[in-house]
Amino acid sequence: MLTLASIKENPEYIIERLAVKGFDGRAAITEVLELDAERRRLQQRCDSDNSRLKQMAASIAMHMKNGNREEAEKAKAEVASLKQSTKGLQDLLEQAQDKMIEMLLSIPNTPCEAVPAGTCAADNVVEKTGGTIPELPADALPHWELARKYNIIDWELGVKVTGAGFPFYIGKGARLQRALQQFFLDEAWKAGYIEVEPPFVVNEDSGYGTGQLPDKEGQMYHVGLDDLYLIPTAEVPVTNIYRDVIIPQSELPKKNCAYSPCWRREAGSYGKDVRGLNRLHQFDKVEIVRIERPEDSYAALEEMKDHVQGLLEKLGLPWHILRLCGGDMSFTSAITFDFEVYSAAQKRWLEVSSVSNFESYQANRLKCRYRDADKKIHLCHTLNGSALALPRIVAALLENNQTPEGIVIPECLRRYTGFDIIN
């Protein structure tokens, strides 16, 4: 969440930046400032009453020592009355504090200056392109037909066992999945990311820490009996490693990677653009996460973008990078770059990664901080990115690499798959 200090320092700037995301923040920012003023007023009264109680306690002790029992009893009665009054003030103080936190949690992160104005995906900016779009014959098949032709993905079996959006990967399809997972993890390891294998369910505090709650309850699978959530991305458990942690500056940056299945309800998704692997309820992904000093986070963001670009180049896929406009960004992000690959049989671009800098927004919710050389405590910056999400990578690989003899596996994956063609 936004820091109270940043809001108090320049509320008009915060309101202006929130408008880039299409969020009218004036009422919320005004209420936060009013609640903060009320909180400080109540705190001053509580502090004054507590100081008075200490003085009266000393007075009672003095009266008792001097044998002035009557004065001592009168002072005790006054203390009892003041304690009751102070308890009421304390309750009001806690209510004001809770309401202020609730309001802060409802305000999205402010986009940085580099974020373009816009309201939807059509306003995103193509920043960079690479690779060559293959020329396929007119009878080229989309990946869902290729998967049936070569018996590598079974959607009907997934519907039978679970429901729509939960496919089975079979034979060479399963090996391709596992090859991509291992390839992405190995490449992250080479880039200095320490691998972790996190839990695939998280508690409510973790959801709040990274901003999935209270923003995305409708998209998350909730295990009601245990009050746990299936993770929508490994970002959630991995970033929460650093919740309520003060990191020595000498240990920064923290660089982690993790493979996980991911679950998203994708409520309201329908139509041709969600066919096959284009949109699933369960999918596999390798995530990279970084914890940085504020002054280093944008250099780290560029490194992460270069890492994802390198993966796509090794896979031989045509790609481009989009700098998202304010209206197409997530609730928690300060800036996001989407990577898309071209699906030649579908003749459309498919998102396969989002790389984001959250600046101090997540860190403030997480209380993720570092101690500098002068022993001062500061909020960290958090970043994460998909490196990569598998379903649409698989879709593009199947479609772009189809030949009359079968589907050719990229060279970088063959040592993992054990075969060079699906036929």
Side-chain angles (χ1 to χ4, degrees):
M1 61 187 175
L2 299 177
T3 64
L4 182 58
S6 68
I7 292 174
K8 292 170 70 173
E9 181 180 355
N10 198 341
E12 288 301 319
Y13 177 76
I14 298 291
I15 293 167
E16 174 190 312
R17 295 313 300 162
L18 289 172
V20 175
K21 275 192 173 179
F23 183 84
D24 185 356
R26 184 166 298 279
I29 295 299
T30 299
E31 185 168 354
V32 165
L33 294 173
E34 290 174 349
L35 287 165
D36 178 59
E38 175 69 3
R39 180 188 62 82
R40 286 184 287 111
R41 183 184 67 80
L42 291 168
Q43 185 65 65
Q44 289 173 353
R45 290 182 59 187
C46 286
D47 291 345
S48 176
D49 284 355
N50 286 329
S51 177
R52 174 64 177 153
L53 284 170
K54 289 181 181 179
Q55 293 173 359
M56 294 178 69
S59 174
I60 290 169
M62 182 62 70
H63 285 314
M64 294 295 290
K65 181 178 179 180
N66 295 334
N68 297 329
R69 184 172 296 277
E70 184 177 344
E71 291 298 322
E73 292 302 320
K74 287 170 59 179
K76 286 180 181 180
E78 187 177 349
V79 164
S81 175
L82 187 55
K83 280 184 176 179
Q84 187 66 29
S85 173
T86 302
K87 174 63 168 61
L89 285 174
Q90 190 66 42
D91 290 343
L92 291 173
L93 175 61
E94 291 177 3
Q95 290 172 19
Q97 178 74 14
D98 290 346
K99 181 63 175 175
M100 186 176 70
I101 296 297
E102 182 182 334
M103 286 302 304
L104 286 170
L105 288 171
S106 73
I107 300 171
N109 198 2
T110 50
C112 76
E113 296 285 352
V115 172
T119 59
C120 62
D123 298 317
N124 295 335
V125 176
V126 178
E127 185 169 273
K128 194 175 182 181
T129 63
T132 302
I133 295 175
E135 294 185 10
L136 297 183
D139 60 351
L141 300 176
H143 69 271
W144 52 86
E145 293 186 23
L146 290 167
R148 289 192 176 93
K149 177 179 178 180
Y150 294 109
N151 191 31
I152 55 175
I153 306 173
D154 192 324
W155 282 275
E156 289 75 16
L157 185 57
V159 170
K160 171 188 172 182
V161 172
T162 305
F166 296 90
F168 271 77
Y169 298 88
I170 298 168
K172 289 186 176 181
R175 290 187 68 86
L176 178 59
Q177 283 281 111
R178 185 151 47 87
L180 284 164
Q181 295 163 16
Q182 194 61 57
F183 170 64
F184 294 152
L185 286 171
D186 285 352
E187 292 297 302
W189 184 271
K190 291 176 189 176
Y193 291 88
I194 303 302
E195 184 179 349
V196 297
E197 185 173 317
F200 300 152
V201 293
V202 294
N203 57 30
E204 189 175 68
D205 286 344
S206 293
Y208 273 94
T210 46
Q212 276 67 34
L213 300 175
D215 180 48
K216 295 184 176 67
E217 297 99 326
Q219 291 297 324
M220 296 175 72
Y221 283 95
H222 183 223
V223 184
L225 183 63
D226 301 296
D227 198 19
L228 296 172
Y229 293 86
L230 303 184
I231 61 171
T233 165
E235 165 204 343
V236 182
V238 175
T239 311
N240 270 278
I241 292 171
Y242 305 101
R243 174 157 49 93
D244 297 320
V245 173
I246 298 175
I247 306 167
Q249 180 175 293
S250 60
E251 295 182 12
L252 290 175
K254 295 288 188 181
K255 298 172 62 177
N256 291 115
C257 65
Y259 156 76
S260 77
C262 305
W263 291 268
R264 298 180 187 178
R265 294 185 63 246
E266 301 289 6
S269 297
Y270 59 91
K272 65 180 179 63
D273 289 345
V274 301
R275 289 193 67 179
L277 297 173
N278 289 344
R279 194 172 298 275
L280 301 176
H281 294 304
Q282 178 181 318
F283 61 94
D284 293 318
K285 181 155 68 83
V286 171
E287 190 81 358
I288 52 176
V289 172
R290 293 179 70 145
I291 311 296
E292 298 277 351
R293 295 188 307 165
E295 57 265 40
D296 299 329
S297 70
Y298 276 88
L301 181 66
E302 292 304 310
E303 287 182 20
M304 295 170 73
K305 289 164 59 184
D306 289 345
H307 177 74
V308 174
Q309 177 182 320
L311 296 176
L312 297 176
E313 289 173 342
K314 289 177 181 178
L315 290 170
L317 292 171
W319 53 271
H320 65 202
I321 305 174
L322 301 175
R323 180 154 40 100
L324 298 195
C325 70
D328 202 31
M329 288 171 59
S330 75
F331 187 87
T332 51
S333 175
I335 187 167
T336 295
F337 294 89
D338 274 4
F339 286 74
E340 296 183 335
V341 296
Y342 192 75
S343 178
Q346 297 180 70
K347 295 181 171 56
R348 59 188 294 255
W349 291 94
L350 304 175
E351 180 197 332
V352 294
S353 174
S354 287
V355 180
S356 300
N357 188 345
F358 302 91
E359 297 186 352
S360 64
Y361 189 87
Q362 283 184 333
N364 192 30
R365 299 168 77 115
L366 293 158
K367 294 184 173 58
C368 171
R369 296 160 290 173
Y370 74 96
R371 181 180 285 108
D372 68 17
D374 297 324
K375 308 300 182 184
K376 293 181 180 179
I377 306 297
H378 310 271
L379 286 172
C380 297
H381 278 194
T382 65
L383 305 92
N384 67 55
S386 310
L388 288 158
L390 270 67
R392 295 169 189 164
I393 289 289
V394 171
L397 287 176
L398 296 181
E399 294 181 10
N400 294 7
N401 295 327
Q402 60 183 297
T403 71
E405 291 73 34
I407 298 163
V408 178
I409 299 298
E411 182 67 37
C412 64
L413 297 179
R414 293 178 187 177
R415 70 188 182 96
Y416 299 105
T417 60
F419 54 85
D420 58 10
I421 194 166
I422 295 174
N423 52 23

